Amino acid sequence: MKKLFKWFGITLGILLALIIISILALPIFFPLDKIKDMATTKLSETLGREVKIEKVSFNIFTGIKLENISVANRAGYAKEPFISADAFTLHYAFWSLFQRHIIIQEISLEKPVVLIEKRAGEFNFSDLTQKKAATSPATKPAANSNFGFSLIVDSFTLHDGEIIYRDQTTNTHSEIK
């Protein structure tokens, strides 16, 4: 019996050491700056606008935080960003991922600003709502596929948000804070 506890302790110690080493090595293999650059490039290509993210913080067990985010305005409109925020925070439950449940405990936006402009009957977001041609044929999942996840969002908060509306044709300006 004493030998069994000894082997159990050794196995548990090795397992804990591997977990700690992998957590410490994660930033080496997946540097946040490189991932941030890849994400902003892909988002910029997808939206057709420049996307900027100043800083990314990530903890595998709790979530992600993006700081100083902005999406550029449509060409021909104001120089101000279309959307900006001081911070975007997403906290999730890590262990529920293994049970195919995505539990988002909190989504938070700090000081988001949305600029909506209208010129000659078109909005600055009209290009984002138009359907784009499909680049590859859509594949249909199998009818009895068991690869689904359930998604639960506990809390969504906005702090000090603002929506600005400018109509250039009627020369009106409105703000919601």
Side-chain angles (χ1 to χ4, degrees):
M1 191 71 157
K2 200 173 189 181
K3 205 173 200 179
L4 179 67
F5 284 125
K6 180 180 175 182
W7 282 107
F8 179 74
I10 290 171
T11 304
L12 186 63
I14 290 172
L15 185 62
L16 286 173
L18 287 173
I19 290 173
I20 291 170
I21 289 169
S22 58
I23 289 172
L24 294 174
L26 192 63
I28 295 168
F29 295 113
F30 300 105
L32 287 177
D33 287 336
K34 194 173 194 175
I35 293 170
K36 176 189 74 159
D37 293 341
M38 287 177 11
T40 55
T41 301
K42 187 64 176 170
L43 283 169
S44 295
E45 287 174 11
T46 303
L47 296 175
R49 300 173 182 210
E50 183 181 17
V51 175
K52 292 180 184 176
I53 301 171
E54 188 175 300
K55 184 179 176 187
V56 177
S57 307
F58 177 69
N59 182 319
I60 194 166
F61 295 110
T62 59
I64 189 166
K65 182 175 184 179
L66 309 174
E67 295 180 41
N68 295 326
I69 310 157
S70 69
V71 177
N73 209 349
R74 185 176 179 185
Y77 289 82
K79 300 282 185 211
E80 301 163 71
F82 168 56
I83 298 173
S84 65
D86 283 0
F88 169 81
T89 308
L90 185 137
H91 292 279
Y92 59 87
F94 176 74
W95 298 108
S96 66
L97 295 173
F98 295 107
Q99 299 170 347
R100 296 190 342 207
H101 300 292
I102 300 172
I103 300 175
I104 298 174
Q105 296 163 331
E106 178 186 17
I107 298 174
S108 175
L109 274 169
E110 298 287 332
K111 297 184 181 177
V113 177
V114 178
L115 173 63
I116 300 172
E117 291 184 286
K118 184 178 180 184
R119 283 191 183 169
E122 270 202 34
F123 289 98
N124 60 340
F125 58 84
S126 297
D127 60 328
L128 299 174
T129 60
Q130 295 169 353
K131 284 190 175 184
K132 297 185 176 161
T135 55
S136 63
T139 57
K140 201 172 188 180
N144 39 352
S145 173
N146 291 326
F147 295 112
F149 277 82
S150 63
L151 173 66
I152 299 169
V153 178
D154 286 339
S155 171
F156 179 80
T157 57
L158 292 170
H159 298 280
D160 299 326
E162 184 176 0
I163 298 174
I164 302 167
Y165 175 74
R166 295 182 190 148
D167 190 339
Q168 303 297 335
T169 55
T170 60
N171 205 20
T172 57
H173 177 94
S174 301
E175 291 185 21
I176 300 172
K177 294 184 179 191

